[in-house]
Amino acid sequence: MRKLVETHTRRTLERQGNAGFRAFDNFRKQGCVEAKLKNGQDGSGQYDCYYSATFVPQPGQQPLTVNGKGRFRRTDKGMAFEDLGAQPR
């Protein structure tokens, strides 16, 4: 789970021109529930998970911790991650 979220975060920040991120300083899974999809679609095999992640601070700045939510599902190639949002804490 941590590796999927780190990879997604790194790619997102690189697209925004901030290539300084490599990994989280701390990552904690807070829990998962089976996904509830729109239009009554079956969500089996998909889980919405909540996590807390702390970024390694940039020089002279405080560490930033975010609470996030993501959807994880199994694919032929392993697990896939969809970002459902994060809020600074």
Side-chain angles (χ1 to χ4, degrees):
M1 180 178 190
R2 177 182 179 148
K3 189 161 193 79
L4 287 170
V5 176
E6 280 179 337
T7 300
H8 172 80
T9 301
R10 184 179 314 110
R11 289 178 181 158
T12 300
L13 291 172
E14 285 173 353
R15 281 193 303 266
Q16 295 173 356
N18 183 356
F21 174 78
R22 290 291 161 238
F24 294 123
D25 192 32
N26 189 20
F27 185 89
R28 184 171 53 93
K29 180 174 94 171
Q30 296 174 321
C32 296
V33 296
E34 191 167 339
K36 293 184 170 96
L37 305 179
K38 295 178 183 178
N39 303 325
Q41 295 173 326
D42 182 17
S44 62
Q46 296 189 48
Y47 296 90
D48 290 347
C49 298
Y50 300 85
Y51 60 87
S52 173
T54 302
F55 291 78
V56 175
Q58 297 295 324
Q61 295 185 0
Q62 296 292 324
L64 172 66
T65 299
V66 296
N67 289 319
K69 180 179 177 184
R71 180 161 295 151
F72 295 83
R73 61 182 167 79
R74 295 200 184 280
T75 68
D76 295 340
K77 298 177 182 178
M79 293 294 288
F81 169 73
E82 176 186 352
D83 187 14
L84 299 177
Q87 298 295 320
R89 182 170 60 160

